[in-house]
């Protein structure tokens, strides 16, 4: 079936982003395509669950209502052939001898294997040249084993395998130019055959009755088959730390169930499972830094290979043959070949940086981190002075058996610039309160503010008429389930002003010689949660109505409090607003969030007397605190910005002029 463009309120829209790829399994209401028009950005949801068979549009295509976007093989479409195949097998078995049935067991088992493409990951450059192919057809490879060496004018990179199995074919040659997404080779996984041989329970009767066959068929259809790796999605950051592992080996998980919690300095994100099944292996450990594409867990997925397994097992003779007996331990060892849980990183940042300069594969680097070995100290025996796993093991063995001198001072912790705390024992002692994980990972980001020459401009905005208008509107908004706060109006006014004052939504270039002006406005909105402050991003507020902004504010705020923010919800902001709301206070100095150059703080509005030339009028005044990077923005520019903002808020109808 096809997923088509719904009624999006405009004649045409442009395909801005394709959110799925061929082979993905999606559920109902999963977003598949992002469409943009001059009015809004809209994510098109899937109207059915299934597997993406083909993508019918390209980035930049203009589509209208009814245009086909993707072709989907809906759930249940592939089950009929499998059921029919099972029925055919049952009929055939009724007409054949038990010996013939025994001969068909081995071919049935092999059908559960999967052939998976291994692609070039993000290597930091658009293109690179294949310098060396490290495997051959027929080789047995493991996860993280180096399979290819690619070279660019910047670096030489070894590409690791993301799966384990047997190399079926190699799609590239030495000298080929490749980029991200190009298929390197195909691998036949062996883990998927485990259900076939895992239960070789012999039965007393060599034949199976019709009733037994009919009973075995649905069991086979429901049996899990196919090892699927769940990898780290795009987090919007280079690295994040594994904060919590929510599953254990042997657990049964559902599709979209959270399995891992990762945390960065921006947010805490729960990584969901993309399929239902049983956890076979966990590839990460608490505290480990992970990036996009790193394997988290291996799941024995359900329903991928509905072969008549139970039926074949039921018809196995009471005394299995020698060949069958020999098969069992082989398959078991294949299943056990999944990578072990990684240990904690025992190296400092400086030592990891030194290791990055040494020619070694990912598996060797991983082992070095776990063992605390600096690779530059290891004698390399591989081609081109490449450190092999055997070299590392020999080095560790020699170090453990050799007499050790008194160790030098261990690597000191990162210097914060502050001296150590004094001993408070004489003053009543202390009670330690551990910071939340979100607070801990935010410290490095907040510390960047030490390098920003920040100044804050304060002002007051008369919102008397604006508040009266909001009170007139909020009744109708409430009927629609929308909370209309003053924040929606402020966001609209600031977004309008940023289109004119583009420096405030720009970034200082790395060389400090220019300002990078953004073409779009994406506004970070600070939200207080029990675990700390997080900043989801409101997209293109300048293109949205106040009602649309109010709706999105409610959605983002709730997702932040429920820890349901996706990585995409936290990316790309070029200006931030932080409001104290009804908490209290008169003014504060918000910190500029690098790489942004400005942030607006909002304090609670109060009634104040304002001189009109003859007397004092009671006015509702809103305190504004604009902090800015003085390297980019001058004080006069900041004063003009807040002055223009106060005029917009005093009569927001000027936005319509």
């Amino acid at each position: 079936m096809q997923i088509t463009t719904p009624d999006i309120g405009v004649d045409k829209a442009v395909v801005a982003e394709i959110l799925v790829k061929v082979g993905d399994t999606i559920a109902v209401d999963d977003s598949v395509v992002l469409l943009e028009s001059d009015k809004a950005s809209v994510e098109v949801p899937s109207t059915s669950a299934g597997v993406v068979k083909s993508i019918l549009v390209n980035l930049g295509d203009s589509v209208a209502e009814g245009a086909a976007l993707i072709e989907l093989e809906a759930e249940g479409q592939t089950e009929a052939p499998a059921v029919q195949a099972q029925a055919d097998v049952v009929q055939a078995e009724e007409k054949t001898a038990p010996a013939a049935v025994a001969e068909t067991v081995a071919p049935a088992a092999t059908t559960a294997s999967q052939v998976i493409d291994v692609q070039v990951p993000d290597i930091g450059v658009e293109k690179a040249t294949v310098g060396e192919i490290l495997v051959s057809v027929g080789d047995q490879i493991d996860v993280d084993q180096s399979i290819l060496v690619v070279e660019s004018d910047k670096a030489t990179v070894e590409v690791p395998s993301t799966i384990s199995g047997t190399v079926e074919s190699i799609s590239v040659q030495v000298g080929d130019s490749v980029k991200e997404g190009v298929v390197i080779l195909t691998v036949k996984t062996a883990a998927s055959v485990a259900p076939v041989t895992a239960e070789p329970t012999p039965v007393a009767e060599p034949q199976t009755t019709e009733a037994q066959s009919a009973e075995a068929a649905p069991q086979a259809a429901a049996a899990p088959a196919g090892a699927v790796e769940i990898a780290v999605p795009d987090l919007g950051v280079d690295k994040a730390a594994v904060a919590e592992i929510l599953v254990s080996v042997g657990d049964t998980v559902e599709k979209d169930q959270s399995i891992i919690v990762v945390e960065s300095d921006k947010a805490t994100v729960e990584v969901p499972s993309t399929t239902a099944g049983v956890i076979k292996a966990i590839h990460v450990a608490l505290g480990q830094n992970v990036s996009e594409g790193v394997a988290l867990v291996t799941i024995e997925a359900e329903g991928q290979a509905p072969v008549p397994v139970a039926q074949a097992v039921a018809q196995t003779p009471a005394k299995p043959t020698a060949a069958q007996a020999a098969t069992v331990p082989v398959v078991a060892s294949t299943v056990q070949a999944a990578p072990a849980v990684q240990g904690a990183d025992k190296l400092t940042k400086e030592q990891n940086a030194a290791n990055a300069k040494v020619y070694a594969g990912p598996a060797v680097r991983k082992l070095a981190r776990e063992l605390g070995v600096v690779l530059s100290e290891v004698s390399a025996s591989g081609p081109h002075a490449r450190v092999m796993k055997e070299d590392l093991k020999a080095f560790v063995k020699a170090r453990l058996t050799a007499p050790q001198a008194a160790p030098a001072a261990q690597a000191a912790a990162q210097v914060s610039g502050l001296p150590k705390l004094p001993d408070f024992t004489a003053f009543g002692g202390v009670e330690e309160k551990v910071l939340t994980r979100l607070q801990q990972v935010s410290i490095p980001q907040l510390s960047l503010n030490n390098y920003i020459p920040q100044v804050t401009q304060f002002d007051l905005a008369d919102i008397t008429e604006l508040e009266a208008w909001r009170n007139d509107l909020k009744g109708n908004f409430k009927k629609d389930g929308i909370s209309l706060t003053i924040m929606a109006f402020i966001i609209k006014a600031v977004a309008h002003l940023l289109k004119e004052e583009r420096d405030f939504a720009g970034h200082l270039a790395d060389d400090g010689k220019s300002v990078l002006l953004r073409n779009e406005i994406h506004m970070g909105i600070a939200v207080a949660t029990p675990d700390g402050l997080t900043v989801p991003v409101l997209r293109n507020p300048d293109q949205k109505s106040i009602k649309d902004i109010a709706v999105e504010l409610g959605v983002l705020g709730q997702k932040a409090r429920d820890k349901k923010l996706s990585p995409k919800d936290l990316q790309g902001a070029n200006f931030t607003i932080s409001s104290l709301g009804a908490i209290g206070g008169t003014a504060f100095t918000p910190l500029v969030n690098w790489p942004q150059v400005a942030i607006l703080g909002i304090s609670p509005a109060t009634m104040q007397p304002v001189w009109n030339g003859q007397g004092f009028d009671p006015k509702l005044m809103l305190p504004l605190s604009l902090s800015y990077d003085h390297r980019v923005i001058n004080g006069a520019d900041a004063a003009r910005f807040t002055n223009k903002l106060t005029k917009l808020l005093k009569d927001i109808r000027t936005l319509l002029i």
Side-chain angles (χ1 to χ4, degrees), residues 302-642:
E302 294 180 351
Q304 292 190 357
V307 290
V309 176
Q311 184 176 338
V313 172
Q315 297 187 11
T316 304
K319 295 182 179 180
T321 64
Q324 291 171 331
T327 304
V328 176
V330 172
V331 175
S333 64
T334 304
V335 176
Q336 296 296 328
V341 176
Q342 297 180 3
D345 193 341
K346 298 180 180 180
L347 299 177
T348 65
K349 286 188 175 181
E350 293 78 11
Q351 290 171 328
N352 278 321
N355 278 1
K357 301 176 182 179
V358 179
Y359 187 25
V364 175
R365 298 184 190 280
K366 170 185 167 185
L367 185 59
R369 291 194 300 270
E370 294 173 356
L371 299 176
V373 175
V374 179
L375 291 176
S376 59
E377 301 176 2
V378 181
S379 299
S381 64
H384 311 293
R386 178 180 171 205
V387 178
M388 311 297 289
K389 195 174 278 188
E390 293 76 14
D391 302 333
L392 186 59
K393 292 179 179 179
F395 174 82
V396 173
K397 183 179 180 180
R399 191 170 65 175
L400 292 175
T401 56
Q404 297 286 326
Q410 297 182 352
Q414 291 186 353
V415 180
S416 65
L418 300 173
K420 286 187 175 181
L421 290 173
D423 187 0
F424 297 105
T425 305
F427 307 101
V430 298
E431 179 181 349
E432 186 175 0
K433 177 187 175 183
V434 180
L435 296 175
T436 67
R437 184 68 181 173
L438 182 59
Q439 290 175 312
Q440 293 179 34
V441 299
S442 299
I443 290 176
Q445 178 70 22
L446 293 173
S447 297
L448 295 176
N449 198 260
N450 296 329
Y451 304 97
I452 298 175
Q454 176 176 303
V455 183
T456 304
Q457 171 70 26
F458 300 98
D459 213 329
L460 289 170
D462 182 357
I463 60 169
T464 309
E465 295 185 13
L466 178 59
E467 182 65 10
W469 186 34
R470 185 182 75 89
N471 288 327
D472 291 340
L473 295 174
K474 68 180 184 181
N476 291 329
F477 276 65
K478 192 174 182 179
K479 292 179 182 179
D480 297 333
I482 304 171
S483 176
L484 182 61
T485 64
I486 195 69
M487 187 65 138
F489 296 89
I490 296 172
I491 291 172
K492 185 65 177 178
V494 172
H496 176 81
L497 188 55
L498 288 174
K499 294 173 66 176
E500 180 182 340
E501 303 287 344
R502 296 182 65 191
D503 283 3
F504 287 81
H507 309 285
L508 180 65
D510 291 334
D511 59 6
K513 297 181 179 179
S514 60
V515 179
L516 306 180
L517 303 177
R518 295 277 291 274
N519 297 322
E520 295 182 346
I521 297 170
H522 302 294
M523 197 171 295
I525 309 298
V527 178
T529 71
D531 292 332
L533 197 69
T534 187
V535 187
V537 180
L538 183 65
R539 306 285 174 195
N540 302 109
D542 56 310
Q543 303 174 18
K544 295 182 171 74
S545 66
I546 291 175
K547 183 177 182 179
D548 292 336
I549 293 173
V551 171
E552 289 196 34
L553 276 179
V555 173
L556 288 174
Q558 192 59 48
K559 288 174 69 175
R561 288 183 286 272
D562 295 341
K563 297 182 179 181
K564 298 297 184 183
L565 290 171
S566 68
K568 187 178 179 181
D569 292 329
L570 301 162
Q571 301 172 16
N574 50 340
F575 191 91
T576 298
I577 296 180
S578 179
S579 175
L580 295 180
I583 297 175
T586 57
F588 67 105
T589 303
L591 296 180
V592 175
N593 186 24
W594 183 91
Q596 299 172 32
V597 299
I599 180 173
L600 180 66
I602 309 294
S603 298
T606 58
M607 293 297 297
Q608 299 182 22
V610 177
W611 182 254
N612 61 11
Q614 298 180 345
F616 289 96
D617 294 328
K619 296 291 184 181
L620 186 62
M621 306 301 291
L622 181 72
L624 307 176
S625 305
L626 178 70
S627 293
Y628 54 92
D629 188 338
H630 208 345
R631 298 172 299 177
V632 178
I633 298 168
N634 294 319
D637 299 327
R640 279 192 292 269
F641 185 93
T642 58

Side-chain angles (χ1 to χ4, degrees), residues 188-207:
K188 186 176 185 180
T189 61
S192 59
V193 304
V196 179
T197 57
E199 300 178 0
T201 306
V203 293
E205 298 293 332
Q207 296 182 350

Side-chain angles (χ1 to χ4, degrees), residues 37-50:
S37 70
D38 55 353
K39 295 184 178 180
S41 298
V42 179
E43 291 188 3
V44 178
S46 175
T47 55
S48 178

